Amino acid sequence: MSIFDHKLSTIARSRRSVLRSLARLAGTGVALPFVAALEPSRAFAQTPAPPAGPPPRPAPQPGTRLVLLGTHGGPGIEQNRAETASAVVVDGTPYLVDCGYGSLRNLVLSTIGYQQLDTIFFTHLHDDHTSDLPALMSHQWTGGAKKTSTEIYGPPGTTKLIEAALGFLRSNTEIRMVDEGRTIDPVTLFHGHDVPATPAPTRVFADDRVTVTAVESAHFPARATAKMTHRALAYRFDTKQRSIVFTGDTAYSENIVGLAKGADLFVCECMAQSVYEANIARAREAEAAGNPVSIARHVAETHSTPRDVGRMAAKAQVKTVVLHHLLPGARQPGGLDYPLSNFTDGVRAEFAGEVIVGQDLMVL
Ligand SMILES: [Zn+2]
Ligand SMILES: [Zn+2]
């Protein structure tokens, strides 16, 4: 078999595997993703073909939609899930929450696009939530069509992050301003805003479509926050039609319970129980070897098990849980490493409402 034939048969196998996974999801009643207009009731039945050019943008639709752009948990590049990103689309206007690697491509595949995106929120500044920001800023500026500014909100350090991203873009902008006669200085287009991290909900943004409040989440333990100014946030979006809460990365958090009271959608990170147990075991081994601070300890202590998700959702009395930032993601082409029950059983043991396992390009 030639290398080319081998590639074709691998692609065919992975397509069959995607279809099998989607069929399994359909059988469990889990919502399926789709790519196209922002209608929550439609689903695609096969892997979408790459668009030949920029997809046509549908006319803005009234209402509030949640679009999951990247649902992979933690840093890592894989075939089926992009790093973390979501969009809240209110009457056709998008607001981005996090911008991990793959966000830009999935903004295009979702038909939201990226040129008209004016408002971005970072839950925290880990790279699996920020990696695509320089690419987004670069293409917004180089695309040339953007006339309005992009305002980027996040925890302390966000303003510096934007200044650094502008530094990354400087050679490109200098060359094109000299050689192509461009006149808009990107410094006038991109602005960072540091948001305070508070235990009680604090309003951090409002316009005529949405009000956004934030609290500090439980992603950075006291042993770390004692030595740094970095903090992690959870956000709540309230629109005329809906309330949507994004936990960002977090362990169980009473702050988030307070933020999420009665929310329609609770978009919560989730680490499979087996991942938690494996990392606790590794952390203990590392500690016994004289390394009390380890990646395994970070994973186990600063993320949420399915039961943690269920306890927060039940106490906050949210209507629907949307599992997001899934640890582990799907590492095999077309398949999940773990059955969905590894994520959902623990949640359902604590929470009686609807539970949806998020997928990239899912619209709710
Ligand atoms: Zn993360
Ligand atoms: Zn993180």
Side-chain angles (χ1 to χ4, degrees):
M1 183 186 283
S2 72
I3 290 173
F4 182 67
D5 289 338
H6 176 71
K7 264 191 168 169
L8 280 180
S9 83
T10 303
I11 290 167
R13 267 203 315 276
S14 77
R15 274 176 180 268
R16 282 196 300 275
S17 165
V18 166
L19 290 174
R20 274 199 305 275
S21 295
L22 290 174
R24 276 202 304 274
L25 287 173
T28 60
V30 170
L32 296 176
F34 69 93
V35 180
L38 300 176
E39 292 282 354
S41 58
R42 291 176 51 199
F44 67 79
Q46 60 182 29
T47 308
R57 296 200 53 237
Q61 298 178 38
T64 300
R65 301 280 184 268
L66 166 67
V67 185
L68 303 181
L69 295 164
T71 58
H72 178 91
I77 313 297
E78 48 122 324
Q79 294 185 19
N80 299 317
R81 292 177 188 266
E83 288 184 340
T84 304
S86 310
V88 177
V89 184
V90 188
D91 298 336
T93 298
Y95 301 80
L96 187 68
V97 180
D98 287 328
C99 193
Y101 184 80
S103 303
L104 199 51
R105 181 171 171 74
N106 280 354
L107 277 166
V108 173
L109 286 174
S110 71
T111 72
I112 292 171
Y114 58 88
Q115 282 287 14
Q116 79 287 4
L117 187 64
D118 288 340
T119 317
I120 300 171
F121 297 87
F122 283 126
T123 58
H124 63 299
L125 304 184
H126 270 153
D127 54 355
D128 54 316
H129 298 250
T130 62
S131 286
D132 249 5
L133 183 73
L136 175 64
M137 290 168 58
S138 169
H139 287 83
Q140 282 193 328
W141 182 84
T142 302
K146 193 161 187 2
K147 305 297 182 219
T148 52
S149 66
T150 301
E151 306 296 327
I152 301 133
Y153 300 82
T158 299
T159 303
K160 276 189 187 163
L161 188 86
I162 304 312
E163 288 167 3
L166 286 165
F168 170 80
L169 303 183
R170 194 150 296 131
S171 295
N172 174 59
T173 53
E174 281 175 1
I175 294 164
R176 293 187 189 280
M177 288 173 87
V178 169
D179 185 43
E180 299 172 14
R182 292 171 186 254
T183 55
I184 298 174
D185 186 332
V187 170
T188 65
L189 270 187
F190 301 102
H191 305 126
H193 304 271
D194 288 3
V195 166
T198 56
T202 300
R203 193 169 87 164
V204 297
F205 177 86
D207 63 12
D208 54 358
R209 299 177 204 87
V210 63
T211 300
V212 182
T213 47
V215 295
E216 181 176 4
S217 73
H219 189 40
F220 302 147
R223 62 185 159 83
T225 55
K227 297 179 185 167
M228 65 184 192
T229 57
H230 293 291
R231 297 292 183 270
L233 301 171
Y235 291 105
R236 176 180 180 129
F237 286 64
D238 283 289
T239 73
K240 280 193 213 81
Q241 302 91 3
R242 294 175 108 179
S243 49
I244 304 174
V245 170
F246 297 91
T247 65
D249 292 6
T250 190
Y252 179 91
S253 162
E254 284 292 337
N255 292 356
I256 290 177
V257 170
L259 181 75
K261 285 283 181 210
D264 294 313
L265 296 177
F266 184 61
V267 186
C268 192
E269 71 128 278
C270 190
M271 152 178 62
Q273 184 64 28
S274 51
V275 172
Y276 170 75
E277 286 163 11
N279 277 282
I280 277 286
R282 276 204 289 274
R284 285 186 185 134
E285 282 169 22
E287 191 160 12
N291 302 311
V293 178
S294 62
I295 295 172
R297 185 174 175 191
H298 158 78
V299 173
E301 291 186 356
T302 72
H303 292 282
S304 292
T305 64
R307 277 189 177 262
D308 291 332
V309 176
R311 286 195 296 132
M312 284 191 277
K315 194 163 182 187
Q317 296 183 301
V318 303
K319 293 187 180 66
T320 298
V321 166
V322 181
L323 299 178
H324 192 31
H325 193 280
L326 299 164
L327 277 169
R331 295 177 199 280
Q332 303 303 317
L336 288 161
D337 275 349
Y338 289 75
L340 294 183
S341 58
N342 211 317
F343 294 108
T344 55
D345 283 356
V347 183
R348 290 195 169 117
E350 304 281 347
F351 173 69
E354 184 181 24
V355 181
I356 295 171
V357 179
Q359 288 198 45
D360 288 17
L361 302 173
M362 181 183 275
V363 180
L364 297 164

